[in-house]
């Protein structure tokens, strides 16, 4: 039973470019959340997807957008990349209506913007 | 608004006990998690408190006071492998709001 898988694991982009990160949730999970973690900081909530809709959003600009597919997998898109977007992007999956320890994190995608 | 405060760094020796404190001001608060994160790795779940009181789980215990906006994580019988960042995390609605983390260094 695979846990949360993310791809790519590492990538380098140039300022102004666009990037797409992908996440497959743990089997049986239907909710996907995305977080940005800069070096030395805790993860910051970007948004959450459930039933292919954005359910909740953090304080991130519209350059950050997402999508959830019928199979519950999700993509995070960032347009017009800035140097400050360099970070670890974490995907977390969970099952709606369940709390506690049913939130699982992927290993993350390291994005470097040069 | 959302604000979570925890110490930036702590040091301790093997076998000791350490308490990591966390204070929070979070709208829509539903509960509080503690996560452990080793450098370069994803956070891993340690504990979850939704009601006031102490939750004990092996060497780790977590306490919550909702009225005071306060929590702590207690680590007993410290081991070298406990050297990591400990993240105080508030659940607000369906989102997790992370503190900046406390880097714990355990020495022999």
């Amino acid at each position: 039973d695979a846990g949360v898988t993310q791809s790519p694991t590492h990538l380098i982009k140039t300022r102004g470019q666009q990037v797409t990160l992908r996440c497959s949730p743990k089997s049986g999970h239907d909710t996907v959340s995305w977080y940005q973690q800069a070096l030395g900081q805790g993860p910051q909530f970007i948004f959450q997807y459930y039933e292919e809709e954005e359910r909740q959003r953090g304080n991130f600009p519209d350059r950050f957008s997402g999508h959830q597919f019928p199979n519950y997998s999700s993509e995070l898109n960032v347009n017009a990349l800035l140097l400050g977007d360099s970070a670890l992007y974490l995907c977390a999956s969970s099952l709606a209506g369940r709390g506690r320890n049913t939130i699982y994190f992927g290993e993350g995608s390291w994005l470097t913007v040069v | 608004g959302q604000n979570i405060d925890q110490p930036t760094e702590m040091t301790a020796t093997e076998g000791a006990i350490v308490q990591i404190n966390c204070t929070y001001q979070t709208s829509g608060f539903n509960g509080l998690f503690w996560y452990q994160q080793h450098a370069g790795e994803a956070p891993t779940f340690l504990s979850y408190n939704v009601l006031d009181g102490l939750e004990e789980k092996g060497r780790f215990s977590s306490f919550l006071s909702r009225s005071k906006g306060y929590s702590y994580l207690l680590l007993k019988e410290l081991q070298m492998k406990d050297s990591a960042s400990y993240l105080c995390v508030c659940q607000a609605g369906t989102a997790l709001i992370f503190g900046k983390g406390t880097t714990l260094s355990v020495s022999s």
Side-chain angles (χ1 to χ4, degrees):
Chain A
D1 175 27
V4 181
T5 57
Q6 293 187 240
S7 64
T9 53
H10 294 80
L11 72 166
I12 300 173
K13 289 286 188 177
T14 306
R15 275 182 300 176
Q17 284 189 315
Q18 179 265 346
V19 68
T20 298
L21 307 178
R22 297 176 177 82
C23 173
S24 293
K26 180 177 171 61
S27 178
H29 283 186
D30 57 9
T31 301
V32 174
S33 303
W34 287 92
Y35 294 84
Q36 179 196 66
Q37 185 173 21
L39 274 177
Q41 303 293 317
Q44 300 293 310
F45 175 69
I46 303 175
F47 42 54
Q48 182 182 87
Y49 276 83
Y50 170 67
E51 291 188 340
E52 302 179 51
E53 297 283 335
E54 184 182 287
R55 181 158 76 168
Q56 192 170 349
R57 187 179 182 94
N59 189 26
F60 278 78
D62 292 343
R63 299 187 296 109
F64 290 76
S65 63
H67 188 78
Q68 186 178 35
F69 299 93
N71 66 354
Y72 307 119
S73 67
S74 176
E75 288 182 351
L76 164 65
N77 300 291
V78 187
N79 295 323
L81 284 166
L82 304 173
L83 295 180
D85 296 331
S86 296
L88 174 67
Y89 288 84
L90 292 164
C91 171
S93 79
S94 57
L95 183 62
R98 301 279 295 275
R100 297 181 64 88
N101 55 351
T102 61
I103 301 171
Y104 291 83
F105 283 86
E107 293 300 316
S109 293
W110 287 96
L111 170 65
T112 301
V113 182
V114 298
Chain B
Q2 318 284 16
N3 189 48
I4 300 174
D5 287 317
Q6 52 181 127
T8 305
E9 295 180 342
M10 297 183 73
T11 58
T13 54
E14 269 188 305
I17 300 173
V18 70
Q19 177 174 313
I20 303 175
N21 296 321
C22 171
T23 57
Y24 65 89
Q25 292 175 303
T26 307
S27 56
F29 178 84
N30 289 336
L32 190 142
F33 293 82
W34 283 93
Y35 276 82
Q36 181 191 61
Q37 187 175 29
H38 285 98
E41 298 181 9
T44 55
F45 170 83
L46 289 178
S47 69
Y48 178 67
N49 294 70
V50 63
L51 300 175
D52 285 1
L54 187 68
E55 295 273 347
E56 296 186 82
K57 192 176 178 182
R59 293 190 300 115
F60 294 3
S61 302
S62 58
F63 171 84
L64 176 67
S65 169
R66 295 178 69 127
S67 61
K68 295 181 179 178
Y70 169 68
S71 173
Y72 68 73
L73 178 69
L74 191 70
L75 296 81
K76 302 176 186 176
E77 301 169 16
L78 282 173
Q79 303 173 10
M80 296 293 286
K81 67 177 183 179
D82 297 328
S83 293
S85 179
Y86 291 85
L87 300 162
C88 176
V89 186
C90 293
Q91 187 172 25
T94 58
L96 299 182
I97 310 299
F98 286 76
K100 293 183 178 180
T102 298
T103 301
L104 174 65
S105 299
V106 180
S107 58
S108 56

